[in-house]
Structure formats: C-alpha cells, structure tokens
Amino acid sequence: KIGVGKLIKGSCDACKTDTNYHFNSRYDFAEPPVWTVSHPSSDTIDMIHEASLGVWGYRFQRHLQVHGDMLVMRSELTNTGSKAFKTVQYTHNFLAFNRQQIGPPLKLQSGQDLSSYSEPGNEQGWSVPIASRFVLTAPNVWTANSALPAGGQRQSILTQFEGPEFNLNASSSYIADSGLGPAVVSVMTAGGHERLHGYKFFAQATAVCPEPSQEIALAPQETPAGNRGWCSRFTVPLLPSPSSSPVSTAPAARTVSA
C-alpha cells in the first residue's frame, strides 16, 4: 500500500469472512515502511519512501517548506517498477489548532458546490451527519454551529461530496479564527484539467481533514508531468506562547500539526 508499506493479505479481522481488501481495517506488516528524512535548510523537510515487490515499485516524496506564515507541502509519486499501475492518491492531513475542539467559528469553504453529498460512515455506524455539527450557509460553505465532542463521547464526520465535477484547478479551504487571526488550510493541485476522483471531508474531536483524491496512471519509470501531485498550503497566524504555560524565553511560534 503506497506510503504505508507491505501488508499481509488476509491478516485483518474483517478478512476472516471476506477476502476482499478492506481499506479501513488494520493489517499485519510483511515489511513496515522506511522513510528517509532530511533537512536541507532550517525551514525545509524532505521525506522519501521507496518500496518494490517483483515487477511493482514506487518512490513517494514529500517536501515541506515554511514560507512566512504558510506551510507548503508537495507530494510526488514515481513508478520505479517495470509494470504500469493506476492508483488513487489522496491528501489526508489532520490539521489541529492548539488542541481546540472542532467547532465554531470554523468553516469548510470550496470553489465548488458542496450541497450534494453522501455519508458512508453513517451507514456503517461509526460517524455522525455533517449537518449535526455544521450548517450549509452557502452552496459552497459549511459553517460549524457546535463542537465535536472529545473523550469517551468522541464522534467522527465523514462526508463524500458529489456536486458538479471537481477539476484539478479547483481549490478548497478550511478556515478558522481562534481569536488570534484567521488560519486557513487550502488543498489544491499543481495544475492540469482532469477532474478529481473524489472529494471528502473528515473531522474528529480536535482535527479536521479536507481530503481530495486524484486517480494517477503511471508507466514504468514515470513521474507525473509538471509535478501533478497534490500541493497543500497551510496559512496560520503568529501564535504567542499560552499565558498559562511556564515562563519561556522562546519567541512566538507558528503552530501547525498535520
């Protein structure tokens, strides 16, 4: 599984009665992933993971860099094997705002219509409707009206948007205001004119995750032209040290976890 490592077929609990692949199930590792992490500069992190099995192989690279008050993350996938493959690649970044519960005044905003959607997690019994915590305040905006609970009462939201076709030039934003200024995460692509494979939104307790996905077909030794992987930008305010914290001489820090 790209970016995860080599998993043992049939090792998940659900596999005992169903031999199909189960995306959300826990599998045993045949070989865990190995990531090579480097720091080319004080504001940059590069992460590379490679794996191969027979004719199959890939290299997954992730580049993170701070530009002022913005964290930019670029991902690139290369087919290093001798056989072509097709895969759905998605951005799944958990953004947290100083451990604040997900709720007002947060917004999910997109350049596309977000009024048509399905909620597969509700049918499976492990998520709650987006409308239980958010209100559709415009065709392309969902605004939080109550916080997602934490602890033993934890709830999850999983929404699959199904409006007009999303395309690679479309962008989406998750906007928050903690009283220290707006924080924005926008998820977009590096260019092109193909439509997205899908667009989901996941939220739980203290983290949110806009989740666009793109189907990528790669020939042997091919990397998508023009770095057609996902590019995510996180813009956050300059946050002072909490007044309740022990005395610190550290300067104000930009706080992002993804």
Side-chain angles (χ1 to χ4, degrees), residues 164-204:
E165 284 191 345
F166 291 88
N167 60 68
L168 289 185
N169 288 324
S171 65
S172 65
S173 306
Y174 194 83
I175 303 175
D177 192 335
S178 62
L180 298 170
V184 179
V185 51
S186 45
V187 185
M188 63 194 72
T189 57
H193 301 283
E194 303 170 41
R195 69 178 181 86
L196 296 183
H197 177 79
Y199 184 78
K200 296 179 181 178
F201 172 66
F202 180 83
Q204 185 181 72

Side-chain angles (χ1 to χ4, degrees), residues 205-230:
T206 58
V208 294
C209 181
E211 187 181 317
S213 60
Q214 175 189 13
E215 188 175 80
I216 300 175
L218 296 175
Q221 307 305 312
E222 182 186 6
T223 300
N227 186 23
R228 205 178 67 216
W230 291 114

Side-chain angles (χ1 to χ4, degrees), residues 118-139:
S118 62
E119 299 180 299
N122 295 0
E123 300 167 6
Q124 299 164 13
W126 59 267
S127 70
V128 298
I130 188 173
S132 68
R133 301 292 173 182
F134 288 76
V135 175
L136 189 67
T137 51

Side-chain angles (χ1 to χ4, degrees), residues 54 74 254:
R74 299 183 184 278
R254 300 178 180 88

Side-chain angles (χ1 to χ4, degrees), residues 64-222:
L64 298 94
Q65 188 169 21
V66 174
H67 293 276
D69 63 352
M70 182 167 62
L71 173 65
V72 178
M73 181 177 68
R74 299 183 184 278
S75 300
E76 183 179 272
L77 179 66
T78 301
N79 182 354
T80 60
S82 60
K83 190 175 181 65
F85 67 74
K86 182 185 294 185
T87 184
V88 174
Q89 190 70 15
Y90 63 96
T91 295
H92 196 71
N93 302 295
F94 291 93
L95 184 72
F97 302 97
N98 291 345
R99 299 184 181 179
Q100 294 182 31
Q101 283 181 258
I102 299 307
L106 306 188
K107 295 181 181 180
L108 173 67
Q109 180 173 308
S110 175
Q112 305 293 324
D113 191 314
L114 302 177
S115 61
S116 179
Y117 59 92
S118 62
E119 299 180 299
N122 295 0
E123 300 167 6
Q124 299 164 13
W126 59 267
S127 70
V128 298
I130 188 173
S132 68
R133 301 292 173 182
F134 288 76
V135 175
L136 189 67
T137 51
N140 67 326
V141 179
W142 282 92
T143 302
N145 65 349
S146 61
L148 279 163
Q153 308 248 325
R154 179 173 294 184
Q155 296 177 349
S156 300
I157 290 174
L158 176 64
T159 304
Q160 168 72 58
F161 294 109
E162 299 173 339
E165 284 191 345
F166 291 88
N167 60 68
L168 289 185
N169 288 324
S171 65
S172 65
S173 306
Y174 194 83
I175 303 175
D177 192 335
S178 62
L180 298 170
V184 179
V185 51
S186 45
V187 185
M188 63 194 72
T189 57
H193 301 283
E194 303 170 41
R195 69 178 181 86
L196 296 183
H197 177 79
Y199 184 78
K200 296 179 181 178
F201 172 66
F202 180 83
Q204 185 181 72
T206 58
V208 294
C209 181
E211 187 181 317
S213 60
Q214 175 189 13
E215 188 175 80
I216 300 175
L218 296 175
Q221 307 305 312
E222 182 186 6

